[in-house]
Amino acid sequence: MSTTVTDEQIRALAMSAQPYSLALLQWGPKRTMDGADAIEIELEHQRRMVSLRADGVIAVLCPVASDTVAGVAIMTVPAEEAAEIMAQDPCVRAGMMRCEVHPCHGFPGDTLPA
């Protein structure tokens, strides 16, 4: 660590924290469904996630290259609402993915590098 951080800076950052929800998508038992239905379900999932991002419901969307984790989304709605939204996801409904939602806090203005 090369940057010195003061206790005052830590307190100021902590005071700026806002509630978010972390949606963790994991691959489900039907991940390897075959056929046109599976392709259409996955495309609808992608369409829906990008739409939620465009609408501001998802602040950060991160697909994950893993055999167990499918993706992570930081959502701007309370955890209960996020869980309801994710329960309607086409891949979740089809058993291709499952989703855990956890309340979390983040710092407004944090971004991913371009």
Side-chain angles (χ1 to χ4, degrees):
M1 293 187 323
S2 60
T3 302
T4 301
V5 178
T6 67
D7 292 348
E8 184 177 282
Q9 289 172 308
I10 293 169
R11 283 190 290 276
L13 183 62
M15 293 295 294
S16 73
Q18 297 293 314
Y20 294 93
S21 297
L22 172 87
L24 176 64
L25 284 162
Q26 298 174 311
W27 292 115
K30 295 183 180 177
R31 174 187 181 186
T32 57
M33 285 176 56
D34 290 326
D37 286 346
I39 293 169
E40 185 55 38
I41 290 168
E42 190 163 346
L43 284 172
E44 189 56 34
H45 157 77
Q46 293 168 352
R47 192 174 293 112
R48 187 170 186 274
M49 295 298 281
V50 172
S51 178
L52 289 167
R53 182 178 172 267
D55 291 344
V57 175
I58 293 177
V60 177
L61 180 60
C62 294
V64 175
S66 166
D67 289 336
T68 57
V69 178
V72 175
I74 305 295
M75 302 180 74
T76 60
V77 296
E80 189 173 290
E81 185 178 347
E84 291 172 9
I85 290 168
M86 296 311 297
Q88 296 305 312
D89 181 86
C91 282
V92 171
R93 291 177 59 160
M96 296 169 73
M97 295 178 187
R98 60 183 182 278
C99 184
E100 293 179 13
V101 175
H102 303 275
C104 66
H105 285 84
F107 307 104
D110 279 1
T111 61
L112 297 172

